[in-house]
Amino acid sequence: MAAPSRKGAVAPIQFPPPVDSAAEFVGPPTDSEDERIEVGVAIVGGGPAGLACANRLLALLEGEPELTERLGEVPVAVIEKGKSCGAHNLSGAVMRPSGMRELFPDVPESEWPVYGEVEDEAVYLMLNDRRSVRIPTPPNFRNHGNYVVSVAELSRWLAERAEEAGAYVLTETSATKLLVQDGIVRGIRSGDKGRGREGEELPNFEPGSDVTAKATVLAEGTWGHLTGAAIRKFDLASEDPQVWALGVKEVWEVPTPLTKVIHTMGWPLRTGAKWHEFGGSWIYPMGEDKVSIGFVSRLDHTDVTLSVHDVLQQFKLHPRVRGILEGGRRIGWGAKAIPEGGYWAMPKLTAPGMVICGDAGGMVNVPELKGIHYAIHAGIMAAERIVRALKAHSTDFSQYDSAVHDSVIGEDLYRSRNMAQPFEKGFFVGGAIANAMLATGGRFPGRHWKLHPDAGNPVFRGGRDKGYPKPDGKYTFDKLSSVFVTGNETRDDAPNHIRVQKRVPREIAEMWQWMCPAGVYEVPEDAPEEGRVDVIVNYTNCVQCGAITAKGGRLTPPEGGDGPLYTNT
Amino acid sequence: MKICVLVKEVPDAAVQKRIDQATGRMDRSGERNLNPFDTHAIEAAMQIKEGGAVQVDEVVAVTMGPESAVRALHKAVSLGADRSVHLCDEALAGSDVAATGYALAKALEPEQPDIVLLGQQSDDGACYTIGAVVAEHLAMPSLTQVIQIDVQDGKLRCERQAEYGYDTVEVELPAVISVGDAINEPRYPSLKAIMGVKKKQLDAVTVQGLEIDAGLIGADGSRVQCGSFHAPPAKESGQIIEDEDTDETVQKIVAWLDERKLV
Amino acid sequence: MSDILVYVLHKDGKFNENSLGAVSEAARLSGELGGECHAVVVGGDDLTDDLCASVGRWGARKVLRAEGPEGLSQPVVDAMDRAIDDGGHAYALFGGGLLGFEIGAGLAARRHAGVTMEVTAVRAEDGELVAERPILQDTLISESRYKGDLGVIIGRLNAFEMTENGDGDAAVENLAVEYSPWSERAKMVQRGEQRGADVNIEDADFLVAGGRGLGNADGFKLCDELADAFGGTVAATRAVVDAGWYPYAGQIGQTGKTVAPKLYLAAGISGAIQHKVGMQGSENIVAINKDANAPIFEFSDLGVVGDLNKILPKLTEAVKARRGG
């Protein structure tokens, strides 16, 4: 492990969350047969992967009357925990058009919910808080022909089309349990509603339902809840653990249109190996009057005080960024974890009766910052393999796994399989190695560069919080008012959906406090300066970014409908 | 007995609302949801139906709105309404409170409801007023901000918090009651109910079909014109006192309060 | 004709302050339009000639008195409808409060008039009245103009101030009203019941709100005492309600209540936006917090950086003394 050994430094992995996902979140149906809801295909997750699958399924079913009848009254159901599809979706984003072209070959690109083709781009190396230098655009950042898009808006658009095609899109519905019987996935169980803070049943308590299906698609996004349980239950994990980065994003109305897609590296992230700060920023134009700006950094960081939200605020102070945002107004904010393990961290993608699509299956190309089109391609492939198998009365979808690996998803991820890992050697050495990989198409230095769990790195106070600006409420913002902007309206007496050990060393608690973009974790004011503390968990602030799962905790879905209501992220 | 519940689809309160600079109108795009206060009205209807004090044959959800408003009706049905009515007509666009209330009353007339329930306010504009307008056109008694309803001997015994405290008012049927959010805790729809909404009857009605007087609706038929949006006057930044001598600080505070006639 | 008709609510021989504020406002506006302010009162024997005439103090020239039930809106709609039939008033103005909404809306329906509610300001312009109302959580002001014979303006709570700008008593006239059948189908069973157990913070003029900075539940004793000194009520932030230091009924903020008192005194409250949206409409905001960087200081009218445990008791004494208590 490339971690510095500081005396007494603790690692989050030493304090695992109190959860046994295979035991708690997997089980047979418990409702009586006439109470169960039967659907044909149950898709968990209303993002690009799940909705691409739904749309393709319905298109295929049009030519399969016999199968359609067998699938019953509800051939395709999409189960989405957010208030609407898109409410929990967040990304930069620049999307390759291949996925949409394959999904809707007859829809002209002028009708796509996108913000225009990328026409110009630039990459900057931020040297310090004042200076930056433009560097020639490395091949992984070349985006001509790609589209700037808001994945929240894209999901809404895809959901509308799925509904028009006949899908039942069940929003405000969380999927809390994977139904497995006789070793085969039979569907999911939806979450209860109306529980109180201690989990007790309130007067309007409504239990969840068993939703049984002939095929279940897990498209839950970054570290899906059921995906994690399924991986443990069916032993689908790859050799290497999944690793994540945290992205915090803002959407701004700006007076002057931004004319190019911008990526930056360097400041304010530190280049030394011991910090494990690998990431950068993006600034994308959204049409003439809006800009998407975000900062990403890996979650294997070692400095307790790393807060990607605050790094973003700090980053905005750079004159090059000010030049873009000045005179504008923030109209959106959000955060989301990104699976960055790439090829080596992809789990097996199928189990009897079940497939995994999109970010939940780690289908993100980190060097190129692409994942949306892979999600769509995977959703399409899942639909095709499922139809084929169901026609043959089979629940063996393993052909989907090989299809994904043979497709552009497998190719791209394999080629970039070692490109993120070198950066654990620091920015410059890492950059050099990564460039060599790019130049050789991944063949140098070859081998399997192992990934290490994010929570395994010991953390210590590194003092980078000194650089964070004090929020002024107009240009830079604090976490609470940012959470407010997401439209997060969780019930005050909702039960806690976050699993963490409550009593941890102070450094771990502080690390969570800084890490969480929504201000969920707090070290109590009267806690001792050293030793163990009882961390406060303000779970109603949670925007479900998933960072905690990477760093010693476990996110589970809250009551359906809770959490952010992203519209333009 | 028939209960009609008036529901409205409104932009989700959680989403930051803005004025569309181009049209000067509220940017109504984005998330739309059933008005939260209306869920209390539906719950109240269901509680009357399930309460047993009277025989309720039907709970009917009624809305006036563009095509997307069917979602509000779907939600109402998933919560227990037996069927729904959608008044959808371009001629109604731009209607103000008086015009809207009039149109809704015309939609309710053929239903001949015994009780009309609605949420007392909506998240996007009118507050506490639609019920009174509807009642006027239906020639029914009306109460707003009601937080308790008991059915007794064919009458409604209602409680509400008015200017001087809690009022208890007895109302003869048929009546229009606007409910506050303190009246009940709405139920969550079961997944089965949600999935069954498309099977329930939904009738679309129009201005012509209801014989609504076109001169009384729409932007032209509305007697109040809203516009000229501007920012409120900027608040003067406040004064700060750093407490060193508490007695002195308190004196300053009292003097400040005194200036403003607060003591 | 540019007379303005105002409904004046009363109970037990006393007129409601928001109604009198509306009278003052109507007197001012009608003066600018070249007309008069008339008031309508509905009730029983307690509406003596003297009592009714006293509305003149606030600027009403005429008081139209109808015999009818108190505290119900539809009889008043009938009364005002009759008054406008007789007098041709151009505007009807209401002070904040539940009945104002119900009557104003019913009247607008009766006479097919335009109506605006939650109005915070009215002005006369080119012989007409223009009403302002805030929208989008008070971030924008929208202006209303009226078409037709009547415009109905319903004020927000505490929007119109009572000013004694009248000259002498108003003339009192009896209004013979034929009540609509539906107006007689609602009966007041009990009016104005006080309920101690409930914490009613929305109507209080003075609020002392406590937050985490109080340290523990006992800190609310300090707030209680200060609130008593002002004759006001205590409220709380979500954080302390969650911690069990104060009941939910007193919670202010995004998931609690919205208040707009004359004075909002925040003790140990940081001023996070979820709280701010619940009280930013307060007329005067005083904040006491030991953290000079607390966000509340950015929107308070008076900020005191200091230890509330020292300041609150002394402030309580001083306020009591000032009020002669």
Side-chain angles (χ1 to χ4, degrees):
Chain A
M1 204 183 299
S5 61
R6 294 217 152 198
K7 209 158 83 139
V10 287
I13 207 172
Q14 297 163 315
F15 305 95
V19 71
D20 176 352
S21 59
E24 284 186 63
F25 307 131
V26 182
T30 48
D31 285 347
S32 63
E33 284 220 23
D34 53 331
E35 293 220 330
R36 294 181 204 168
I37 299 177
E38 269 187 48
V39 305
V41 180
I43 300 173
V44 184
L51 291 168
C53 186
N55 274 296
R56 178 52 66 116
L57 273 171
L58 290 159
L60 291 169
L61 287 175
E62 275 188 31
E64 303 285 351
E66 198 240 300
L67 177 59
T68 308
E69 220 191 288
R70 249 199 297 139
L71 293 179
E73 265 184 47
V74 183
V76 177
V78 177
I79 294 148
E80 166 56 45
K81 64 176 165 43
K83 263 209 191 139
S84 68
C85 290
H88 292 180
N89 284 106
L90 181 146
S91 185
V94 173
M95 175 185 77
R96 284 207 196 291
S98 62
M100 285 283 277
R101 284 190 189 136
E102 195 189 335
L103 186 59
F104 296 119
D106 301 326
V107 175
E109 290 175 24
S110 52
E111 285 181 29
W112 290 3
V114 296
Y115 284 98
E117 248 185 83
V118 174
E119 285 173 10
D120 199 3
E121 54 206 350
V123 179
Y124 295 95
L125 177 60
M126 309 305 247
L127 299 169
N128 53 38
D129 62 349
R130 277 160 295 117
R131 295 176 50 223
S132 61
V133 60
R134 185 165 174 181
I135 62 177
T137 305
N140 54 307
F141 281 136
R142 299 223 183 99
N143 276 302
H144 272 98
N146 296 335
Y147 287 94
V148 174
V149 68
S150 151
V151 72
E153 289 173 9
L154 177 65
S155 299
R156 273 183 187 74
W157 187 88
L158 290 170
E160 274 167 36
R161 296 191 87 93
E163 277 189 304
E164 275 166 35
Y168 278 72
V169 178
L170 305 165
T171 53
E172 299 188 271
T173 307
S174 60
T176 51
K177 200 166 108 180
L178 192 65
L179 298 176
V180 176
Q181 202 164 39
D182 305 323
I184 302 179
V185 174
R186 306 285 183 184
I188 60 102
R189 183 174 176 78
S190 66
D192 297 337
K193 294 200 180 184
R195 283 198 186 269
R197 195 169 298 163
E198 312 299 327
E200 78 276 24
E201 292 178 15
L202 298 176
N204 58 355
F205 173 71
E206 180 69 39
S209 300
D210 285 336
V211 178
T212 55
K214 297 190 164 45
T216 302
V217 177
L218 297 185
E220 300 167 293
T222 181
W223 200 238
H225 167 69
L226 294 183
T227 309
I231 289 176
R232 282 203 163 68
K233 169 81 181 177
F234 291 101
D235 204 21
L236 306 176
S238 53
E239 237 182 274
D240 288 13
Q242 184 57 272
V243 295
W244 289 268
L246 177 61
V248 179
K249 164 178 179 168
E250 292 184 354
V251 180
W252 279 69
E253 246 172 22
V254 291
T256 327
L258 175 64
T259 53
K260 45 179 176 253
V261 153
I262 294 175
H263 291 103
T264 77
M265 297 180 280
W267 183 90
L269 293 182
R270 288 173 295 191
T271 53
K274 70 179 179 198
W275 303 116
H276 291 265
E277 290 176 13
F278 171 53
S281 87
W282 79 77
I283 312 177
Y284 299 154
M286 289 168 70
E288 299 258 303
D289 60 345
K290 295 198 282 277
V291 151
S292 156
I293 174 171
F295 213 98
V296 178
S297 187
R298 283 271 284 107
L299 282 166
D300 64 340
H301 64 272
T302 52
D303 186 342
V304 156
T305 65
L306 178 66
S307 157
V308 179
H309 167 85
D310 291 293
V311 167
L312 175 62
Q313 305 310 310
Q314 184 181 7
F315 176 69
K316 288 192 294 184
L317 300 177
H318 194 286
R320 184 164 287 287
V321 183
R322 257 204 202 278
I324 298 169
L325 299 181
E326 199 88 79
R329 191 170 71 99
R330 182 178 80 161
I331 56 171
W333 177 95
K336 195 97 170 162
I338 307 164
E340 294 211 340
Y343 182 80
W344 300 121
M346 277 177 80
K348 289 203 206 54
L349 300 171
T350 65
M354 178 199 96
V355 300
I356 304 176
C357 297
D359 275 18
M363 301 177 191
V364 174
N365 182 333
V366 174
E368 295 183 16
L369 302 179
K370 296 284 179 294
I372 300 176
H373 74 294
Y374 295 139
I376 297 176
H377 284 302
I380 294 171
M381 281 185 267
E384 289 168 356
R385 296 307 179 292
I386 286 174
V387 167
R388 202 179 292 175
L390 289 182
K391 275 175 76 168
H393 297 266
S394 164
T395 51
D396 175 5
F397 305 128
S398 50
Q399 282 203 344
Y400 162 74
D401 202 318
S402 37
V404 169
H405 281 277
D406 291 341
S407 74
V408 63
I409 302 174
E411 282 168 24
D412 287 357
L413 260 55
Y414 185 72
R415 191 178 58 244
S416 58
R417 65 196 178 285
N418 288 323
M419 284 189 197
Q421 293 86 312
F423 286 93
E424 63 188 17
K425 297 204 173 300
F427 183 78
F428 294 105
V429 177
I433 300 179
N435 278 330
M437 285 189 198
L438 277 172
T440 62
R443 284 185 289 283
F444 169 86
R447 74 172 173 96
H448 172 167
W449 195 312
K450 285 187 99 38
L451 295 160
H452 308 289
D454 292 329
N457 282 349
V459 296
F460 51 89
R461 294 186 188 94
R464 65 137 47 249
D465 55 318
K466 292 193 204 65
Y468 300 154
K470 172 169 173 307
D472 64 13
K474 294 185 217 23
Y475 188 72
T476 54
F477 300 92
D478 66 297
K479 288 177 176 177
L480 270 191
S481 56
S482 302
V483 170
F484 184 65
V485 161
T486 66
N488 189 346
E489 252 191 4
T490 305
R491 235 184 336 121
D492 282 336
D493 60 347
N496 185 355
H497 63 285
I498 299 175
R499 305 283 186 97
V500 285
Q501 271 201 35
K502 284 296 176 57
R503 199 163 170 70
V504 292
R506 195 182 164 117
E507 298 96 306
I508 304 284
E510 282 179 22
M511 183 266 296
W512 286 339
Q513 183 172 320
W514 284 108
M515 169 201 80
C516 174
V520 168
Y521 310 96
E522 253 186 83
V523 177
E525 264 184 41
D526 56 357
E529 283 302 315
E530 296 294 334
R532 300 273 173 136
V533 303
D534 292 301
V535 65
I536 298 176
V537 181
N538 301 313
Y539 55 87
T540 52
N541 286 347
C542 178
V543 293
Q544 295 165 55
C545 70
I548 189 63
T549 305
K551 251 355 204 183
R554 174 52 153 96
L555 181 68
T556 73
E559 188 178 277
D562 280 357
L565 187 51
Y566 294 141
T567 50
N568 51 17
T569 55
Chain B
M1 175 186 289
K2 182 192 291 189
I3 302 180
C4 282
V5 183
L6 292 177
V7 301
K8 184 178 178 188
E9 193 192 43
V10 297
D12 195 302
V15 175
Q16 289 238 299
K17 296 197 265 279
R18 24 199 293 264
I19 294 284
D20 184 338
Q21 296 298 339
T23 62
R25 292 239 200 103
M26 180 112 84
D27 182 0
R28 294 221 141 107
S29 63
E31 266 358 86
R32 298 187 70 79
N33 251 319
L34 175 63
N35 176 22
F37 282 91
D38 294 341
T39 60
H40 294 277
I42 297 164
E43 179 64 27
M46 296 310 296
Q47 287 188 9
I48 294 175
K49 177 171 184 182
E50 292 160 2
V54 281
Q55 161 86 1
V56 174
D57 302 304
E58 264 197 315
V59 174
V60 185
V62 179
T63 197
M64 172 179 131
E67 295 217 4
S68 58
V70 291
R71 287 167 50 102
L73 292 175
H74 285 163
K75 189 87 194 267
V77 166
S78 77
L79 288 167
D82 299 295
R83 62 179 169 86
S84 51
V85 174
H86 185 189
L87 172 53
C88 180
D89 200 312
E90 274 186 15
L92 293 162
S95 296
D96 65 358
V97 164
T100 305
Y102 163 65
L104 284 170
K106 293 295 281 181
L108 288 168
E109 258 173 28
E111 294 288 339
Q112 305 252 297
D114 298 285
I115 307 178
V116 178
L117 293 174
L118 61 153
Q120 73 186 22
Q121 66 199 73
S122 69
D123 280 343
D124 69 339
C127 2
Y128 320 118
T129 48
I130 288 279
V133 176
V134 168
E136 179 69 27
H137 289 290
L138 291 178
M140 292 184 190
S142 149
L143 282 185
T144 69
Q145 301 199 31
V146 172
I147 53 169
Q148 173 120 345
I149 304 175
D150 288 311
V151 187
Q152 275 178 25
D153 309 317
K155 292 193 215 168
L156 297 180
R157 204 174 165 87
C158 302
E159 266 177 38
R160 67 188 203 149
Q161 203 182 65
E163 284 86 345
Y164 295 103
Y166 288 89
D167 288 352
T168 306
V169 183
E170 206 177 65
V171 177
E172 287 172 34
L173 299 180
V176 177
I177 307 290
S178 311
V179 302
D181 58 354
I183 189 172
N184 56 36
E185 196 62 54
R187 63 196 60 189
Y188 292 99
S190 71
L191 209 49
K192 257 215 159 76
I194 295 174
M195 294 176 74
V197 295
K198 299 212 181 127
K199 293 201 207 125
K200 299 280 173 96
Q201 183 186 337
L202 194 160
D203 298 308
V205 294
T206 61
V207 163
Q208 212 179 34
L210 293 172
E211 295 181 341
I212 291 179
D213 182 342
L216 299 177
I217 54 163
D220 290 335
S222 297
R223 296 294 177 90
V224 66
Q225 283 164 311
C226 299
S228 307
F229 304 101
H230 57 89
K235 218 175 166 191
E236 258 182 51
S237 58
Q239 198 188 325
I240 307 265
I241 303 175
E242 304 242 359
D243 179 31
E244 273 152 80
D245 179 332
T246 308
D247 288 312
E248 213 187 285
T249 299
V250 166
Q251 263 178 31
K252 287 189 196 158
I253 300 176
V254 174
W256 187 93
L257 292 170
D258 203 19
E259 267 173 48
R260 287 154 184 77
K261 304 208 187 73
L262 293 170
V263 276
Chain C
M1 270 274 221
S2 19
D3 294 333
I4 302 179
L5 191 63
V6 181
Y7 168 64
V8 180
L9 170 67
H10 81 285
K11 186 171 185 289
D12 298 334
K14 271 194 70 185
F15 292 116
N16 173 278
E17 287 188 359
N18 269 281
S19 297
L20 294 177
V23 171
S24 312
E25 189 72 11
R28 177 182 75 81
L29 293 166
S30 58
E32 291 183 42
L33 295 178
E36 293 184 349
C37 163
H38 300 161
V40 167
V41 293
V42 179
D45 296 332
D46 62 327
L47 287 174
T48 61
D49 285 351
D50 282 343
L51 183 63
C52 295
S54 73
V55 179
R57 268 167 64 196
W58 285 274
R61 284 285 174 78
K62 212 193 303 190
V63 172
L64 302 161
R65 172 181 53 199
E67 206 186 301
E70 286 178 37
L72 291 172
S73 60
Q74 284 161 310
V76 183
V77 173
D78 294 329
M80 292 181 81
D81 183 36
R82 176 64 206 273
I84 296 172
D85 271 345
D86 291 344
H89 303 76
Y91 298 96
L93 187 68
F94 298 86
L98 174 146
L99 284 177
F101 285 108
E102 291 187 331
I103 303 166
L107 191 63
R110 177 77 56 94
R111 300 195 72 93
H112 194 65
V115 57
T116 313
M117 63 287 297
E118 284 282 301
V119 169
T120 48
V122 189
R123 66 176 190 274
E125 200 178 87
D126 302 327
E128 284 185 355
L129 289 189
V130 178
E132 284 185 7
R133 80 164 278 198
I135 55 172
L136 302 183
Q137 288 175 325
D138 282 20
T139 53
L140 271 190
I141 308 274
S142 152
E143 293 191 348
S144 292
R145 288 175 165 75
Y146 303 90
K147 293 194 288 195
D149 299 324
L150 178 69
V152 179
I153 301 175
I154 309 175
R156 183 185 258 191
L157 202 65
N158 304 330
F160 305 133
E161 254 193 72
M162 294 163 49
T163 39
E164 299 189 31
N165 54 10
D167 34 44
D169 285 346
V172 181
E173 273 178 32
N174 285 325
L175 199 55
V177 180
E178 227 183 86
Y179 290 108
S180 320
W182 56 92
S183 296
E184 312 204 294
R185 288 180 19 224
K187 288 198 173 36
M188 182 73 70
V189 170
Q190 177 166 41
R191 192 173 176 215
E193 188 197 333
Q194 298 299 310
R195 292 192 184 162
D198 294 61
V199 180
N200 179 354
I201 55 174
E202 285 149 301
D203 295 335
D205 280 335
F206 295 91
L207 277 178
V208 177
R212 279 255 195 92
L214 290 177
N216 53 40
D218 289 331
F220 270 98
K221 289 205 196 83
L222 297 175
C223 296
D224 272 328
E225 280 160 27
L226 183 56
D228 270 343
F230 277 110
T233 313
V234 174
T237 64
R238 197 205 93 189
V240 300
V241 168
D242 278 354
W245 300 356
Y246 208 74
Y248 178 69
Q251 179 176 315
I252 288 178
Q254 183 195 347
T255 52
K257 301 201 174 121
T258 301
V259 295
K262 288 212 177 85
L263 173 65
Y264 188 88
L265 199 143
I269 295 180
S270 68
I273 191 149
Q274 290 99 322
H275 182 75
K276 178 181 174 187
V277 295
M279 43 64 74
Q280 63 189 349
S282 307
E283 275 181 46
N284 295 283
I285 301 172
V286 175
I288 305 175
N289 197 307
K290 67 176 191 282
D291 176 12
N293 290 325
I296 198 163
F297 289 130
E298 286 167 42
F299 58 91
S300 54
D301 299 301
L302 175 65
V304 182
V305 183
D307 183 351
L308 53 88
N309 290 297
K310 285 199 270 168
I311 299 173
L312 288 185
K314 294 204 175 190
L315 183 57
T316 303
E317 289 311 307
V319 171
K320 272 199 218 154
R322 199 73 183 68
R323 284 183 141 221

